[in-house]
Amino acid sequence: MSTFSEILNNLKEEKNIKVQPLARYCEVERSTIYKFLNGKRLPGSIDIVKKIAQFMQLTPSESELLVNAWKESQMGEQYHSRKSVEDFICHFPSRPDKPLPPTAPLPSSSQMSDNIFVVLSSQQYIDSYVHQMILSEAGKQNGKIGMFLQPDYPFPFRLLASLNPTGNLVIEHILSLNNNPQKQLCNLQYLKEIFPIYTNGLDYETWYFYNNTQHNFYCPSIMPYLILTSDSAVMCTTDYQTGLYYRDQETVRTLWKIFEKNRSQCQPLFKPIPISPENYLSVFHNIDDAKDSPDKKIIGLQPEACMTPFITGKLLEDVFNHDLPQADIMLSMIEKIFLTNKRRVKSGRFLIYFTEAGMKHFAETGLIEEFPDAFYHAFTPKQRLPLLEEIKACCQKDYYRILKGPLQYLPANLHLCVRDSDCELTYHTSNGKTIFLIVCESQFFQMFKDYLEQMDKESYYSPEEASTLIQNIINTLL
């Protein structure tokens, strides 16, 4: 029996449902309902599943359970992968309203033992020493942290995500990714744990290697995990129950050498690039869509619709910040990118998912979240109208789609772009920077690409509904 048939049977018994009236309500043969119950057949559309839920008078949570079971039975393993991607997207770290307060230095009474070697006999002891090591390093003018551990130990990652160091703090992290296709969801959970460190704006670099991480679990005789600072180190078992703390400088230096040797054999997980006027050449080199053929498709998911294909040369000239250094060169490069995207829209190679709330924000403010404020001036109401009309036309052609359901609450800080062979995220950090982050690892790229290419039709409005929503937004400016 499928997951769907099991849940359907349970609900049928619980609600005391008779097959004949259920079949009549759903406008199918009674034998078809029996095939649903026996797991020999799945409903051909979600509409039938919804009719079953309506007839059974299911609660919202029961209806969601039945619909998700139908999707799981229909898609198989891909269902869990896409649900995990959606969970990552829906829980992407929000843009902070203001910078975090500076991390307070440790009081003298909280300093760790002066012993150069301490046995840590529980996770509480490990947490305590790791906590004090990280806070101490964050208070230095030039601190550095090295981590060789999995994000299934959330304590240090959540601590780093809340830090605002007083000086420069460099964090280098090595983790193992599972190369078993059946275990890829674990990798995505790791991504969810580490991403708040990126959005916190820390100088954080992640390196990876492939391994079946399960092979390392429950081996208390070895201590493969390591956390380093400039003057101390903690090694611990993979269950985080036993560890060793070192303050001997020769030992710490040796462990750093081992760490750096391992890092040299790993690959970068991401390539983060700050988007700023001073760094524009590096940014445009990586995001220059004009260097790709217009035949290559782009799929984007972001709060507001992508405006770049509709910003004409004249409009770009009007809103661009000409006080920036080398403004003319920047302007020329940006215009080429916009023109290439315009050609993609005309050829149907530009698909954008966005939210109604994001478009309302643009209509009210004239601001586009995917661009740093330093590059342009807010669009005037008069300038916003033709852009909204272009977006409405693209909605009618089903090139631009407005999200609904859980995705309608897409975090305002997330801009995800997938091309034929690469994937990027753009987000704002707690210290006011805008980061363009290239996903370097192929499994994550494939999971994001599959999710966007196979977007559930229940997750977005029809072309007619979407164009009506945009027209309603246009009416607020008339």
Side-chain angles (χ1 to χ4, degrees):
M1 294 177 70
S2 66
T3 303
F4 175 79
S5 62
E6 288 180 9
I7 292 176
L8 182 61
N9 272 286
N10 291 338
L11 291 170
K12 172 183 173 294
E13 295 301 320
E14 182 182 329
K15 307 291 183 180
N16 194 26
I17 300 297
K18 304 299 181 183
V19 171
Q20 182 63 45
L22 174 60
R24 190 180 304 115
Y25 183 84
C26 295
E27 299 178 309
V28 298
E29 297 292 332
R30 185 173 62 174
S31 61
T32 300
I33 297 294
Y34 279 117
K35 288 177 182 178
F36 294 164
L37 292 166
N38 295 331
K40 295 180 179 179
R41 181 175 171 183
L42 286 171
S45 71
I46 196 170
D47 292 333
I48 296 178
V49 181
K50 289 181 176 179
K51 278 191 172 185
I52 293 173
Q54 290 167 0
F55 182 82
M56 290 185 170
Q57 298 182 350
L58 301 183
T59 66
S61 60
E62 289 171 335
S63 296
E64 183 180 11
L65 180 67
L66 187 65
V67 168
N68 286 341
W70 175 75
K71 291 179 180 178
E72 179 181 351
S73 299
Q74 189 180 55
M75 289 187 270
E77 287 297 325
Q78 287 297 326
Y79 169 80
H80 296 288
S81 172
R82 292 171 190 166
K83 284 293 288 184
S84 295
V85 172
E86 185 170 298
D87 183 64
F88 169 78
I89 288 171
C90 291
H91 294 90
F92 191 84
S94 300
R95 181 179 185 176
D97 294 329
K98 57 184 178 181
L100 294 170
T103 300
L106 285 170
S108 57
S109 60
S110 297
Q111 296 301 321
M112 293 173 284
S113 169
D114 291 332
N115 295 333
I116 62 173
F117 173 79
V118 179
V119 176
L120 308 175
S121 57
S122 69
Q123 184 171 333
Q124 287 86 346
Y125 271 106
I126 294 173
D127 288 351
S128 177
Y129 274 74
V130 168
H131 178 259
Q132 294 183 68
M133 285 168 57
I134 290 176
L135 290 189
S136 176
E137 202 67 17
K140 296 177 181 178
Q141 190 62 34
N142 291 290
K144 63 175 181 178
I145 295 174
M147 300 190 298
F148 196 124
L149 78 165
Q150 298 299 92
D152 56 5
Y153 174 34
F155 177 77
F157 298 95
R158 293 175 186 178
L159 177 58
L160 290 169
S162 65
L163 280 186
N164 186 359
T166 56
N168 297 318
L169 180 63
V170 176
I171 305 165
E172 296 180 338
H173 176 206
I174 299 173
L175 78 159
S176 167
L177 296 180
N178 203 308
N179 55 5
N180 183 344
Q182 305 300 321
K183 303 293 183 181
Q184 289 183 8
L185 302 189
C186 181
N187 296 340
L188 199 58
Q189 182 61 36
Y190 291 166
L191 196 65
K192 187 177 175 181
E193 287 291 342
I194 68 176
F195 227 91
I197 305 178
Y198 281 99
T199 56
N200 190 23
L202 299 183
D203 187 354
Y204 174 53
E205 293 188 21
T206 313
W207 305 76
Y208 74 93
F209 64 97
Y210 291 117
N211 186 26
N212 186 346
T213 55
Q214 299 295 325
H215 288 171
N216 291 333
F217 290 163
Y218 312 117
C219 298
S221 60
I222 59 174
M223 295 189 180
Y225 291 170
L226 175 66
I227 299 176
L228 289 162
T229 65
S230 59
D231 56 13
S232 58
V234 163
M235 298 180 67
C236 66
T237 55
T238 55
D239 60 1
Y240 313 107
Q241 296 300 315
T242 307
L244 300 173
Y245 167 73
Y246 301 94
R247 283 196 69 186
D248 173 64
Q249 290 307 292
E250 184 175 350
T251 301
V252 173
R253 282 195 296 270
T254 300
L255 290 173
W256 268 109
K257 288 179 181 178
I258 295 172
F259 178 86
E260 290 164 357
K261 181 179 179 180
N262 278 277
R263 186 195 60 197
S264 68
Q265 299 174 35
C266 299
Q267 300 295 322
L269 187 59
F270 302 116
K271 181 181 178 182
I273 305 170
I275 302 179
S276 66
E278 298 78 18
N279 196 38
Y280 79 92
L281 283 177
S282 176
V283 174
F284 290 155
H285 174 74
N286 285 279
I287 68 173
D288 186 2
D289 296 327
K291 67 186 178 184
D292 291 331
S293 167
D295 294 334
K296 292 186 177 181
K297 188 172 185 177
I298 288 180
I299 308 177
L301 181 136
Q302 53 193 63
E304 74 285 345
C306 182
M307 312 285 179
T308 61
F310 319 120
I311 299 177
T312 63
K314 175 63 168 63
L315 181 55
L316 180 60
E317 181 82 21
D318 291 341
V319 300
F320 188 75
N321 181 4
H322 294 274
D323 294 331
L324 296 175
Q326 297 182 302
D328 291 343
I329 298 175
M330 259 193 280
L331 197 61
S332 175
M333 296 177 73
I334 293 171
E335 188 171 4
K336 288 180 181 178
I337 295 172
F338 289 6
L339 285 172
T340 303
N341 285 341
K342 185 175 182 178
R343 289 196 290 271
R344 283 197 177 96
V345 168
K346 288 184 176 180
S347 63
R349 307 295 293 172
F350 204 77
L351 177 59
I352 303 296
Y353 295 96
F354 61 101
T355 69
E356 181 185 7
M359 292 312 302
K360 286 181 177 179
H361 179 264
F362 169 72
E364 292 168 0
T365 65
L367 298 176
I368 301 175
E369 290 293 325
E370 63 182 314
F371 301 137
D373 295 345
F375 281 87
Y376 73 105
H377 307 292
F379 291 79
T380 66
K382 185 178 179 180
Q383 292 168 334
R384 297 169 210 170
L385 281 170
L387 295 177
L388 289 167
E389 290 288 355
E390 293 279 8
I391 290 164
K392 186 179 77 169
C394 284
C395 287
Q396 292 169 342
K397 297 176 182 177
D398 205 26
Y399 298 161
Y400 277 44
R401 297 169 175 174
I402 300 180
L403 297 165
K404 64 179 181 178
L407 288 174
Q408 69 180 307
Y409 306 109
L410 187 73
N413 200 27
L414 173 64
H415 292 75
L416 172 64
C417 178
V418 171
R419 296 178 177 81
D420 287 348
S421 58
D422 58 75
C423 171
E424 301 93 26
L425 293 157
T426 305
Y427 57 89
H428 303 285
T429 67
S430 59
N431 53 7
K433 295 180 180 178
T434 302
I435 303 295
F436 177 82
L437 184 136
I438 301 171
V439 178
C440 302
E441 197 274 329
S442 60
Q443 286 184 357
F444 290 132
F445 160 65
Q446 290 295 341
M447 292 174 78
F448 286 129
K449 184 178 181 182
D450 172 74
Y451 179 79
L452 291 182
E453 287 183 340
Q454 306 297 328
M455 179 73 77
D456 187 345
K457 290 185 178 181
E458 291 292 308
S459 296
Y460 58 91
Y461 289 101
S462 69
E464 295 76 17
E465 293 170 327
S467 58
T468 299
L469 290 173
I470 297 298
Q471 183 59 55
N472 293 338
I473 294 173
I474 291 173
N475 292 342
T476 65
L477 295 175
L478 296 176

